[in-house]
Amino acid sequence: LQVSYDPKVLQVVNVSNGGILSQDGQAVTLLHREDETTGTMQITATRPPGANGVSGGGAVVTLTFLAKGVGQSTLTISRGGARDPSMQAMPVAGAVGTVTVQ
């Protein structure tokens, strides 16, 4: 997935496993690449090859931000993608929210 935010207002300090992909005890590998100047981050969460799929609801990743400055930042999750156990693409909806730092 891709996350974007205002880097004048927010700073990403941690990306961690949200829990749903490891609910059956499988290890989850998280890779993330951030451009702090533009406020964009690419995040990939994967299960081991050959692992069965998971079902249910829950968080895939947890992002922790540090407030850097006063103001509002749009927080956008886009370019989401998921694959089923046979590696077929599944649709994933994005989301947009606003964070206010006072």
Side-chain angles (χ1 to χ4, degrees):
L1 62 97
Q2 180 174 309
V3 176
S4 58
Y5 56 92
D6 184 342
K8 295 178 188 132
V9 178
L10 300 173
Q11 175 185 348
V12 177
V13 294
N14 193 42
V15 179
S16 60
N17 178 13
I20 189 162
L21 294 180
S22 60
Q23 67 184 1
D24 61 354
Q26 292 290 333
V28 174
T29 301
L30 292 175
L31 300 172
H32 53 92
R33 189 174 55 238
E34 181 182 11
D35 183 338
E36 293 178 0
T37 60
T38 63
T40 57
M41 174 180 274
Q42 302 286 329
I43 303 168
T44 303
T46 56
R47 289 167 51 88
N52 291 330
V54 297
S55 61
V60 175
V61 296
T62 300
L63 304 176
T64 304
F65 290 92
L66 173 69
K68 285 179 58 178
V70 174
Q72 286 191 330
S73 173
T74 300
L75 184 59
T76 305
I77 300 171
S78 60
R79 295 190 188 176
R83 297 198 178 270
D84 66 18
S86 62
M87 297 306 292
Q88 297 301 309
M90 298 170 44
V92 175
V96 177
T98 302
V99 176
T100 302
V101 177
Q102 298 180 339

